[in-house]
Every structure is written in structure tokens, then in C-alpha cells.
Amino acid sequence: MTHNHTATRVSILGKENIIIDYDIWGSFIIQDLLTNVSSSTYVLITDTNLYKQYSEPFSTAFEAYVSELDVDARLLQYAISPGETSKSRATKASIEDWMLSEERDPPCDTKTVIIALGGGVVGDMIGFVASTFKRGVRFVQVPTSLLAMVDSSIGGKTAIDTVAGKNLIGSFWQPQRIYIDLQFLNTLPAREFINGMAEVVKVRGLRDTIKQNRTDRNAQTAAIWDADEFSALESNAESLMRAIKLPATTGNGRLSEVKQILKRMVLGSVRVKAHVVSADEREGGLRNLLNFGHSIGHAFESILTPQILHGECVAIGMVLEATLARQLGVLKASAVSRLTKCLRSYELPVTYLDPLVQERSGNKVCTLNELMSIMAVDKKNDGRKKRIVLLSGIGRTHEMKASVVTDQDIRIVLSPAIEVHPLPLNNFEVVCTPPGSKSISNRALVLAALGHGQCRIRNLLHSDDTEVMLRALTDLQCASFAWEAEGEVLIVNGKHGCMQATTKDLYLGNAGTASRFLTTVATLAQPGTAISSVLTGNKRMKARPIAPLVNALRDNGAVIYYLESDGSLPLRIDASGGFEGGDINLAATVSSQYVSSILMCAPYAKKPVTLRLLGGKPISQPYIDMTTTMMASFGINVSRSTTEAHTYHIPQAQYQNPADYEIESDASSATYPLAVAAITGTTCTIPNIGSSSLQGDSRFAIEVLGPMGCEVQQSSRSTTVTGPERGTLQPLIEIDMEPMTDAFLTASVLAAVAHGTHGSRTTRIRGIANQRVKECDRIRAMKDELTKFNVTCRELHDGIEIDGIRPTNMLRPIDGVECYDDHRVAMSFSVLALVAPHPTMIRERECVGKTWPGWWDALARTFGVHLEGVDLETNCIGERNASNAANQSLYIIGMRGAGKTTVGAWASRLLDWPFIDLDTQLELDVRCTIPELIKSKGWGHFRELETSLLKKSMAENPIGYVFACGGGIVEMPEPRQMLAQYQKSGGSVILVHRDIEDNINFLQQDKTRPAYVEDIHGVWLRREPWYKECSNYEYFSPTSDALPLSRPPNDLKRLLEVITGQADQLRCMRHKTHSYFVSLTVPNIEEASCFLEEVLVGSDAVELRVDLLKDPDSTDNLPGVPFVYQQLALLRRSTNLPVVFTVRTQGQGGKFPDDAHDHAMSLFQLALRMGVEFLDVEVQYPDAYIHTITGTKGNTKLIASHHDPKGNLSWSNGSWVPFYNQSLRYGDIVKLVGVAKAPEDNVKLMEFKAWAQSAHDTPIIAINMSVIGQLSRIQNSFMTPVSHPALPFKAAPGQLSAAEIRQALSLHGVIQPRQYFLFGKPISMSRSPSLHNKLFRSIGVPHNYSLYESDSVQELKPVIQAADFGGASVTIPLKLDIMPLLDEVSEDAKLIGAVNTIVVDSTRKAVGGSAKYLVGENTDWRGMKLMLERAGAQHLKSPSGLIIGGGGTARAAVYALHEMGYSPLYLVGRSPEKLKSLIETFPNTYQLQAITSLEEVSGIEKVPYIAIGTIPADKPIDRDTEAILKELFRLSSQGARIKGTLLEMAYKPRTTALMKLATDVGWDTIPGLEILAGQGLFQFQLWTGTTPLYRDARVAVFGDQQ
């Protein structure tokens, strides 16, 4: 059984111990081990994923060889859990214990050889085991991942992780053999493959430094990488990625096309690593160079692991460390760009803000301070000095070791924002060379790609925009590209217009130039594997116009489709081999790039082209001239018509590429360093832009800076500017900047401080209308941002006016300068910051990468500007954007009669925003009713006015308004598009509707609007899809009965809280020590109404299990959307608890079909439209579905869940990790539910949960099903799903009630007994102990409520500071006296002047060192309000109220009735002075009026039908007071249809004299004991966070008096 395998061997530390080839696992390795690494015991250790596939065949082959060779050897095997969590002390100990166990018979000894089969985790861990077992045994590495093959398996570094960090405990222990079987890569998942490519790229980036340091030049290591290897890596990216993305397979098919490329790549990396280890085994210097990218990459990895892999983090680190080298002036920008491009070509992230990184990590934030803190403990550091490997070129390092870099420099590179400090007075002269022109670079790339032959392009701009263009041209197979001279020269091999459509979407980010040029280029493609190409971009790009260009191309035969909004990207462009040619008409008043796009592609049209530009003078003519001049350089001469204005003739021909083409520096970018000189009074020279430039912006110095007072010297090739004395720039009275529109931003910041020495200080810039459709609306942006500096600006339709001020009068923008992702905004304001009196923060620092990635470097190194990196508050930008969205005006649509006006008025009150009914506003505008308008002008005119008013409302009132639209607003396409676009861009449009029959009944009675001329059902059916298209939220209005506008229903309040984000239910849940949601298992919410309130007690949220609902109209057993809509609306109206909306599939333990994805999606969208607080989404759904949900979820929180009802997964072997990672990608909350088969499974779950919580802040629900798993439910403290005895069945096996869990927690001492009291005197007859102790027992807590009779607050001090004090009720005479002992008193209690409840706020600390933070509250008024509402008081219209008495309780009564909207409030009592004193202590808005005589009764404004009695019941009613009351009661009974209600606060005797007065005239009365139950209910809620049943509270209070 001899194996004649010829493998490649690599020497390390003087021995050929590294063996590389395909198919060496098994026979070859076994034979080599038995022959050259002999032992009687071999231990194969791998992870459970690899064990099944590779261990058994290896064992079989091993036994065969042992038998054949007749050797005494055995093979033991052990599997550990996969993943980083196994790289721990615990796993190491378990392996060692297993090896030492007598069960091994005999145990492993010092001669044992351990075989580590796996990736880096297995290799690191098992190497460390080998280094310590029996004081060190031999081991061999068999790496199975690319990352392990080229990095971790080589060099002898072994380690485990600890809570303090990765790889902090370990040793150097060299393996006896490293077997690299490339066949393992066939089964490696694509992401893991790409992960390893980061290390391959890194080694190529260091090759020349390592080569220079070589000391061993024998033949074995002579092939350390030559200068072409990085280029080879670049050129092979496409073929390698194609293979990597093929399905993983155990055969050879996946890598067959790249076997030799792959072996060469791996072999080269291995040789480099082996050489470095041989030269510096213990990392004394040279080996540190292999940590390029690691210093910063490891910091990101510490935060983002395990969701983001090691290689992905290193890729991010390499780009940032290269950027740092560029910032320090030791690396060219072209090298950074080249490295970035190479990493991107292997789909590795280059920033942690990469969308895929954000998605995978659950949008985890890496703050600057956190990154710096992690970097502070990097092992390469020298004390507090941070050391980072700095490149000086691709393949070279700045030093032969890691370099010391200051924190300030590192902070700049890592920061999302930058602070620019004022530049001190100085007379320096500098020379500054900006990067190549973006405009020329993009044109040169297109022309060379379309041309024939090779062209060397020099000084190409290395920026985001050109990277986008290069990627797109490559994907279209338009040309091949290669770099030379370390990225300074781009070699383009054009394919003379031959290209293929691509299946890959061409993502262009926010690169406007690329989007316009490529739109026409894509029409030239031929069909192949794809018949069309898709151009798309980011959100801003999708709002930028492209319609004039598309229209012109369509008219000329091109087939182009808009995929989203008409007029903007994304586009699908059919491959047609070129447009027709001939006459083309193009509107050219918006962008000259439309013109250039057609001009450059016109030679490849099917006929010669005559291009006519319509609309008068084209915008930015210099850029059109630039295009035609460059076309001539590539062999095509465009002639301009001598007979027709703005007309061009382009021949049918082929570009001939010049051998060399040099890009001149960007003239627009050059305006910034020249402006620095102008604003600071210094001198700056741009050496390669002069009067002969192709670019219109080259005129900036002469036409803008000269007139502002600068000295300008310009030759044909250079420009020098010397600014006037600082602070003396002159304003430009008026300037037309149409020839250089991009430079207007630079001119604007100069104008801001150009106040002049006499006359006007206003600069007027015009001719820049096209700047509204650039990266942002630049005119608006400049006005808004300059305003922050105290500079007054006025927008013009095609320009801006700026009133200059002295620099010393500028303010400091509090939140910094918003850049709108626009490079020119950032660079312009960095110029202004140099003369500001304070440092200025510029947000979105990296956006300058679009045209000048090294701008901040130039400011610091060339001009000596002091810069500081700034760490923005976590998520502050997102929060600000969310705040803006929350404040956007709200639109309400729906059928007439659905309740839009009522809902609008409610929303107005709830949001405190003005409300405008657009129909009413239209009538005011036209001064007639809508029926009259339609009768005189017709429906068409009405619809036009309606549309115009909608447009006006959006333009003039974008923030803080509520608008109700007419029912027919959706009948016209334009308003439909406006509303749809409004809600898609972050605004809110609510569709209000009610039962259609109820709606019809109302409409038949309404005569204020035109009658329907068609069937109302038909109108609804036609409009329904339009309403849905235009809206993103829905509200069900239950009845057409007129409801008082002062009583907004709670379900609408909660919907608006979700829409605006005013109430963050997730944050509320996280603040609770324990939280629960009850899972409803009822088939119909309406049928459960009799016990629903009881079921919800003790829970913090309610789960609607949609899969368990029974829709009576369903034919397929699936609940229909209309039915679920009604169920959800009914549930929201039945409870104030937040709703968890769940559709549990059969495979996850529910009843919903696993494959009914589309129906599930319709239900999810319904839930989001109805504004549910929480939405449970199983991560097993296809990514496309989940992406749709996350993109439209608004402020709804997603619970990303996975359930394993069959118990296939284990908490201890890492099998849950992929589901956890997937859940983190999408969820605001992670929910994982397994099955406990043994008690130990609960322990393992808790360990898993502890690991998850240590790594991520995303809250997690982790529990086990089954009776054994009940312990996990008790231990789960966040949003535990619970049941209730009143429900038909439990939603999951082992589910407990909230009360049962609290009882268990009490038994375990987790919930400790608290003591609650009633303070006051006399209190012996109080029913409060009976009330609260009953309620405590009902929710399962061990607390006790007792009486503490005292009239001295001094006695209470030790009681309220006791460790077990939980809270207290307070009654007379202590309601006022208790206040000084409290840390805080609520505003209502202050106004009422009484505290009746003490609450312990455990989330806050008291001042002065006291143990508890005590808050005083008043629940008397809440109890009054509750009792009146339960009695139906909320249904009264325009109500007034009556308070009888003038004491302390009367004050609570005043507050209660005011909160309910009653006005005016009449006061009656025996002491006029007391009533007057009470009135004076309340604001005038309360409208309090005292009635002190019988005569005054006749003069009251409104007769009250609600009264609260607060006078003592143990004494007769004062005669005068009784007379006034009798008259008031008599007035209320005269012809009234409304029955009055008296709330009596005294509760002894049961029927008081006051109650008898009221009942004599037919009023209803509420006895005082009801108030005790009501206010006690609110006390209990404040103490426990739980709302009990009022029924239970009432029973406890009334006892046998029911």
C-alpha cells in the first residue's frame, strides 16, 4: 500500500516540515507520520463539523497501514465544538482530562503525537494542549481553512482566549509537521475562503520588505515573492472568485480551473511566512511585520467577533493602517487605492461601515474610544506607545519593524468626524498638487476602454468615483486593466467598443458622473449570459435625475426601464450593441454630463450622430468642450455645426488609444488650497493647472479670487495665489459661475467672511442651478450650514446670496457641519474653519475620498493645520435622522366618512402639532364649498386645486403638522406619486378606515360633500390598492359615532408613539429587572374578551399568535389578512400592553405552513402598517423576505427568532452560533428556543447566553422547551414568553405563567421580600393592607404591606431608608410633611400639594449617600379619573365639571377633571376664602370659577354633569352649600338627555348626604371605596410595574360589602 505522492516541501527552522499538495489527507499523511513522526499513540482532534466527514476514513486507512507496516500504533479520536467559543480554558481542560483518563487504557504518555485537524481555532487550541500536556508532546497541524494554511498553522503560536481578550494565554510550540492539503479548500464555504484571502493579500503587500531581509538564500526558499506577485493577485481575482463562489463539493470540480493558481498562491504565502518564522521565531522584530493590518484589525475584531471573521477585520485594518501611512506622508495615495481595490476584488470589507459588515454584526457600533482602548493593550506596543506596521509602498514597509505612531494620528484615521482648528497667523508659501481631475479621469477611462490598443494613463485620480467606474467597466468586459509603477500608472487595453451585458448589478454608490456616462455605455453591450445590465446606487443616487438622458436614448432606439422611481436609478438597460444614431435631441439645461455621455459613445452608434442640445444655452459648456477635446486626443474629431446652435456632428469611427495620456490635476479640487491662501493671507501654488487647462474651474483664481482682493499669477501650466491680509477679503457683488459651477461652494465660504471695507458686504452667486441635483442640493446645504456659523444667506432659484461677516463674529456649529455625503461640502467648510474663532467639527470625514482622499493629510502636512479625530456619540447621526423623520408632518388618507378629520384632531392633540383639514383649507382658499366649486368649475379643476394644495403643504410645512386629505386624493396619479414618495422617503401617511357598511351609512347622511355618483363599494374597491400604495400605516376607526375630540383612544396614541418613536418599548423592557409577554392561544380575540383582561395581568406585553387564529372565512386554514387586521385592531383596543406579532411556522413549533412565505409576508407587512411594537420574524425565512421587512419596519422592533422543537441543536457544541449570528444580523432582539433533555442543558444554555451577552449588547431571549427546561424560563429575565391558567392551552411545552415564575424567583431569593406601608394617623380601619397583599399574591411576589401609624415624619426616616423598604402609601396628616424626605416629587403632586405614594426608583442614586432614591407621587387624581371613565364620563361632549369642597382632596379633584378635558371647573364650598386660595394656586388655563351664592348659579356658562365631592361625610352639609348644590342638580335634570355622575370621596357612611342629593335628581353615584381601589391600583402599578385587575382590587377593598 505504498503511496507515491509527489508533494512540495517548504523548509522552516531548517527542516522541511511543511508539505503542500492536493489529496494528501489520508494515505500520504498516515504513511509519513508512521515513518517520520513515529509513536505508539496518535490522537486526532478536530471539531464536530469535520469529524463526521474526515475522521472515519482516516481511521480506516490508519488501521490498514498499521497492519501492513506491522507497527504498534493506535489512533484515538476526539471532537470539540466548532467556533471561537471552544478556544477556552474549559475546552483545553476537557481534552487533557480525556487524554489522561484510564479509559484510554493506557492513558496518553509523553510519546503521544497529537494531530490537529481544522482551522485556526483547532490549531491554536490543540497546539497549546500539546505544549503543556506532560510538559510538552509532539503535534502536527493539518489546516483545513485557507486562513490556517497561510497563517495560523505556521510558526508555532498557540493560545486560548480569555475574558480579557484573544490569544492572551499560550506558548510557542512548533509542530513536527504541517500538512497542507489544498483539497480541503473544495469544501470550504465561500465566506471562509474569502476570509483567508485577506492574509494572502497581506503577505503580498509585504513581500519586498521580507525579501530584503532574507538571509537564507538556498534553493528551498529562493522563490520568495517577486515584484509581480501582487499584480498576479489582482489579475487572478476574477477567476479565483468565480471558483470560490461555486458550490462547495468534495470532488475536484470547484477548483479545477484554478488549481495551479491556487497552489502557487498558497505556496508563496507559506514560503514567506516560513522564512519570517525561521528568521525571527519568537517575534523579536521581523515577524512583527506580519501583523500589518492587525493592530487596528484586532481592535475591530474584539468588538465585532464572532459575526465578522478575522480576515475580514484584518482587511479593514490593512486599509486603515495604509491610510495612516499615507496620512503620515510615507505612502502614496495610489498605493492605498490599489490595496483597497485588491481587497474589494476579493469581496473583503475595507470599512466597518460596509453594509454587509453592518448587517452581519447587527449594526454594532465601534466607537473611537473603544477602539483606542483595545489598541492600548496590543502586544506590539512599547509601554504606552502604540506601534503599527506602516507601508511605504506595495511590498515595502517604512521600517523593518512596527513604527511608533501617536494617538492623535490614529484617532484621525479611525474617527467618523474631524475637528479642524483655526490656523495661526503665518506668512508661509506652499506648493500643493491636487489629485488628478475627476472629470478628466472618468472621461479618460471611458475613452480608453472604448478605444483600440493599449493606453498608459498617468496621474489618474484614485478615488471612490474612479473605483466605481473601473469596476463597472471591468464587469462589462469593456477593457482589461493593470497597474504598474506601484499604482501610479494604469494600463488600459481597450476592446474597441466590444463589451457584454453583465448579470451583476453595477452598484455606483453616489457617483453621479459614472451613472450618467455608464447609462449610455451600457447600451453598447452585446447580449451574452445576460441580456441587460442594471445600474443602481445608494439612496441619494436614487433621487438624482437622469430622465433627460434616458429620454434621448429611448427616442434613439435604446431600451431602458426604470426599476423604481421614474427619472432616477436603478435602470435596466437592454444590451443592443449600440443605439441607432442619426439625429438625437437632448435637453442639456440640467447636466452637461448627459451631453458628454452621448458624445463619447456616439462613434459606436449604428449611424453617424448629429446631437442637438435643446433648451437654450447648455449648462457647463466648458465640460462639453473638455469632452470633445479629449475625444480628439483619442482620434475622434467632433465638429460643431456652423448653421445650428448647440449642435454637434460625431462620425462613426473607432477610438485609437494614445500610448500615454496624463491626467491634469483636478481644477475643482485646486480651488480649496487656493482658497486656504486667500482666506488666511498666505501663498499657495498649484504647479500643473494654468490657463491652458481643459477645465472650466481653472478660471477660479482669475475670476473669483482676483476680484476678492487676492494677488493671482497664472501661467499656461501653473497658478499662484497670495491672499490679502486676513479678514480683508472683498465681497463679489455679483458673479455668474455657470462655467465653473462646482467651485461655487469654495466661493461661498470665502464670501461668508468677505465683509469688505466699505459699501455692500453681500456676494451674489448665480448660474449654478445644476448644483441642486449633485450629491445633495448644494445651494440649500450651503445656506443651512453657513447659517450655523451666524452667516445670513438667501437661496435664489439658480444661486445664493451671502452676507459676509467678520471671522471673529462666527459662531461655532454645536453639532458640527453636516456634509450630506458630499466631498465638496466637507472640503469647503474645512477652509472656512481655518479662520473661525473656535475649532469646527466636520462630520462624515471620509466623504472627501470621492475626489481627494488625502485632503486632510494635505491640510495637516502642507498647511500645518491642527486636526483632531472626533468620536461622535453612539448612533447620534442615526438618532438625528430618526428625530427628523419623527418630526416630519403626518398625512391622513382614507374614504370620506372613515374618520380622517376626527383622527387628525386626535393626532393633533397627542402630538401637539397644528391640524389642517385640506378640504376645509381648500374651501377657505376658494371661498366656497367643495360642492359649489365642483358645480361651477368641474371635477377636473377641483382635482387640480387639491393636488396643488397637497404639493404646497409638503413644501411649506414639512415638519410638525397633521394633514387630513380628501377621500379622492388618490384618484389622480400625481398626488398618488407624491404621497408614495413621501412615505418611502421617511414620512408617515396613515390610512384610516372603518367597517365599509358603517362607512356607507355615514356617507348616505353627509350632505357637506358631493354625493357619490357610483356604487360606494365599487369606489372602495378601486381606491383600496391606491390607498395602500400611498400609505405606510393603517388605523382602524371602529365607529362613525361622534367621539369627543378631547378623548384620543389609547390605540391611536400607541400607533403614533410607534410612528414617531416617542415611546421606545424595547428600552422600557430593558429597564425592567424581569419582563414577560403572555402568548395568546385563542382562536378569536373577540371570543376571549371575557377573560382577556385577567390573562394579561402580570405581563409586560402580549403576543398575538397569528398561526393559532381560526379565520371562519378561510378556505385553506390560513388566517386571511382582513381577519387578522380585525383581530389585531381588537387586541390593541382591548389593552394598553405592547403587542408582539408572531406567525410561528410548523417547523418551528407552530401551525403556519413552512412554505407559505408570501402569505406570511403579507401578514408581516400588515403588522408593520398597524404599528405593532414587536414583530417576531424567524431567521429561516429567505434573506430577501427579511430584508424587505427590515427595510420597512420603521420603529417596530424585530425579534429575530429560531426555534428547535426537535432538539437537534446543542447549546454547548456551537451549533446554535450560526442561528445566533443570523439573528443578530436582523434583530433588535434575539430569540433562541431549544429543548432541554436533561437538567444540564439549562446550565449549558446559561453559559451560551453569558457568552452572547458578553459579546453583544443586543438583548437575547434564550430558553428551553419541555418540563425540564422550565428552569431556563425562570432564569430568563428578559421578555420571557408565559402562559396563563385561563388560556385554552400553552403555546409551548414547559411554558409557565408570570406568577409561577415570580414565585420560583422568590423561592430562590432572586426576588427578595420588600416591605410596604401605609403612613398616617389614624389608619387602623384602612383596607389598604387587604388590597395590596392580595395583589402581591396575585402576581407571585413575596412582598408585604402593613400599617405604620404615626403623625411624625421624623419617625419615618429609618423606615424609608431600610434595606427592604419597597414603597408606601401616605395619608393625613403627612401628605405634605413627607415631601422634604424625598429625593423627587412629581409635577402633579407638587401642583396638588400632596404626596400619597412613595416609590423607590432603583435605577437612580440618591444625593448625599442615602440608600434609596425616593420619589413622591399622587395617585388620588388618577383613581378619580379611572372611576369617572369607568362610569362613562369620557363620552360627554364639551364638558364642564363641579368640585365640592376646598381642601387638599379638592385639589386632586381639580387636577383630575382638568386632565380629562373638563372646562370650566366650578368650585362650591362653605368657605369662599378657601375656594379663592385654591383657585389662585392653579394656572389660569384651568378655568376655575367659585360659586359662592345661589344667585351666581344662574350665570354659569355650562351646566356640569360631572361632580366630585370632597367634603367630610360625618357632618351635615352647610346650608348655603346645600342650596347651591340642589340648584345645580336641578338645572342638570331639566330636559337633559345626559345623566350626571357624582364621585364621592368620603366612604363612610356607605351612602352619604351628598350622594342622596345627587340620587334624588337621578344622578349616578360612585362610593368612596371605589376610589380607594382605583388609587391603590395605580400605587401598585408604580411599585411593581404591573397593572392588576381592577376587579381584584375592588374585591379586596369591599370585602363582604359587595
Side-chain angles (χ1 to χ4, degrees), residues 792-811:
T792 301
C793 307
R794 291 169 292 281
E795 284 188 67
L796 311 174
H797 75 280
D798 72 335
I800 189 170
E801 284 185 347
I802 302 164
D803 295 340
I805 62 174
R806 297 183 183 277
T808 53
N809 292 336
M810 284 197 295
L811 299 179

Side-chain angles (χ1 to χ4, degrees), residues 1021-1132:
L1021 291 174
R1022 183 180 71 251
R1023 290 180 180 176
E1024 183 181 17
W1026 292 338
Y1027 285 137
K1028 296 285 180 71
E1029 171 194 343
C1030 294
S1031 59
N1032 50 350
Y1033 291 99
E1034 291 189 41
Y1035 178 69
F1036 184 75
S1037 184
T1039 174
S1040 59
D1041 294 339
L1043 299 177
L1045 299 186
S1046 60
R1047 307 286 188 275
N1050 280 329
D1051 61 331
L1052 176 63
K1053 177 176 180 288
R1054 288 165 53 209
L1055 173 62
L1056 294 176
E1057 287 174 346
V1058 172
I1059 290 174
T1060 62
Q1062 290 178 349
D1064 188 341
Q1065 292 294 342
L1066 175 56
R1067 183 177 297 176
C1068 294
M1069 293 289 183
R1070 299 191 73 172
H1071 283 168
K1072 295 174 182 285
T1073 306
H1074 296 92
S1075 56
Y1076 310 93
F1077 66 85
V1078 61
S1079 302
L1080 299 183
T1081 56
V1082 296
N1084 188 307
I1085 298 298
E1086 189 171 8
E1087 295 173 5
S1089 59
C1090 59
F1091 60 81
L1092 186 61
E1093 188 179 10
E1094 176 186 356
V1095 165
L1096 301 180
V1097 172
S1099 291
D1100 304 285
V1102 55
E1103 181 182 38
L1104 179 63
R1105 280 290 299 270
V1106 177
D1107 56 301
L1108 301 180
L1109 295 175
K1110 301 294 184 183
D1111 183 353
D1113 297 326
S1114 173
T1115 58
D1116 55 7
N1117 290 324
L1118 294 178
V1121 171
F1123 176 72
V1124 176
Y1125 180 86
Q1126 293 174 348
Q1127 295 290 297
L1128 180 53
L1130 182 59
L1131 178 60
R1132 298 203 71 160

Side-chain angles (χ1 to χ4, degrees), residues 885-908:
N887 291 328
Q888 282 187 261
S889 292
L890 177 71
Y891 285 84
I892 299 172
I893 63 174
M895 290 285 284
R896 176 153 54 90
K900 299 188 300 295
T901 301
T902 301
V903 172
W906 283 337
S908 172

Side-chain angles (χ1 to χ4, degrees), residues 39 1043 1059 1224 1534:
S39 174
L1043 299 177
I1059 290 174
L1224 273 177
Q1534 287 185 341

